[in-house]
């Protein structure tokens, strides 16, 4: 018999993929309730990030923020550095989207430090964290910092064989010349 919590999270992912945002939101909301009731901390992070992403999809960044903040706080209680780094990076992305660039920068710095310190970090995960930091450096007009980050991300996307990422890095490097 399938675990009801996993079913809700999977249903939510499918509904979001199919652009049925109301259905996805309801499934994630129910998953959050189950997680809180049953003390499922790891799944709570997934469900909270799912709720936040639905809110971002809807253009409700202000409503997404508390979900990401709670997910980060819960992730800090786990003993899984990569989950924490990934969750912080998503919070940083939201901060960047809403124009809170200083908070975005501090989150990216923390996420990158965690990723760099963990030997389990995949080149793709690291590249996906470096990329938005490079964009942020461009917004701050810190072009030398941005260039170094784009170069590193490009090498990592090459290692991961992600052509779209490689192309974006090449275009960004031309911008930063």
């Amino acid at each position: 018999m399938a675990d009801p919590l996993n079913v809700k999270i999977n249903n939510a992912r499918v509904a979001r993929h199919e652009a049925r945002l109301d259905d996805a939101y309801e499934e994630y909301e129910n998953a959050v309730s189950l997680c809180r009731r049953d003390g499922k901390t790891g799944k709570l992070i997934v469900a909270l990030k799912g709720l936040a992403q639905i809110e971002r999809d809807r253009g409700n960044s202000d409503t997404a923020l508390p979900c990401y903040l709670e997910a980060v706080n819960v992730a800090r209680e786990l003993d899984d550095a990569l989950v924490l780094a990934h969750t912080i990076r998503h919070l940083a992305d939201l901060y960047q989207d809403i124009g809170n660039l200083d908070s975005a920068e501090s989150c990216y710095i923390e996420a990158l430090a965690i990723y760099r310190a963990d030997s389990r970090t995949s080149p793709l995960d690291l590249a996906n964290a470096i990329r938005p930091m490079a964009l942020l450096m461009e917004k701050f007009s810190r072009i030398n910092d941005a260039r170094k980050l784009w170069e590193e991300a490009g090498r990592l996307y090459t290692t991961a064989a992600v052509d779209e990422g490689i192309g974006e890095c090449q275009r960004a490097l031309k911008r930063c010349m």
Side-chain angles (χ1 to χ4, degrees):
M1 186 165 155
D3 175 17
L5 180 55
N6 287 333
V7 169
K8 292 204 173 299
I9 289 173
N10 288 333
N11 287 346
R13 287 179 175 149
V14 168
R16 180 173 179 251
H17 179 74
E18 295 174 351
R20 294 182 293 112
L21 299 183
D22 290 342
D23 293 339
Y25 190 88
E26 184 178 332
E27 291 288 350
Y28 277 130
E29 197 170 47
N30 290 333
V32 166
S33 294
L34 285 174
C35 289
R36 290 186 200 288
R37 184 192 76 197
D38 298 341
K40 303 277 186 167
T41 307
K43 295 288 184 178
L44 178 59
I45 296 165
V46 171
L48 286 167
K49 288 194 300 188
L51 280 177
Q53 189 57 58
I54 298 300
E55 290 297 351
R56 286 181 77 189
D57 293 346
R58 291 175 168 169
N60 300 329
S61 297
D62 291 342
T63 309
L65 184 58
C67 295
Y68 276 129
L69 288 170
E70 183 179 356
V72 167
N73 287 335
V74 173
R76 289 189 191 287
E77 298 171 11
L78 286 183
D79 189 25
D80 190 330
L82 296 182
V83 168
L84 177 59
H86 186 263
T87 306
I88 292 170
R89 182 183 66 82
H90 279 280
L91 175 60
D93 292 343
L94 178 64
Y95 277 139
Q96 186 164 193
D97 289 348
I98 64 175
N100 188 341
L101 302 184
D102 291 333
S103 293
E105 181 180 26
S106 65
C107 286
Y108 286 132
I109 289 169
E110 182 179 5
L112 285 169
I114 294 167
Y115 276 133
R116 291 181 194 285
D118 195 310
S119 63
R120 298 173 302 149
T121 301
S122 72
L124 183 57
D125 283 339
L126 185 55
N128 285 341
I130 291 170
R131 178 194 162 278
M133 180 66 153
L135 290 167
L136 183 63
M137 292 301 99
E138 287 187 58
K139 287 180 182 174
F140 283 145
S141 297
R142 291 165 46 188
I143 301 306
N144 287 335
D145 292 335
R147 184 180 312 112
K148 290 176 188 171
L149 290 166
W150 283 119
E151 288 170 350
E152 183 180 7
R155 288 190 300 272
L156 292 163
Y157 282 128
T158 299
T159 298
V162 178
D163 292 336
E164 185 177 326
I166 295 166
E168 181 183 15
C169 291
Q170 290 170 344
R171 291 186 299 278
L173 285 167
K174 288 178 185 174
R175 259 193 332 264
C176 292
M177 290 300 171

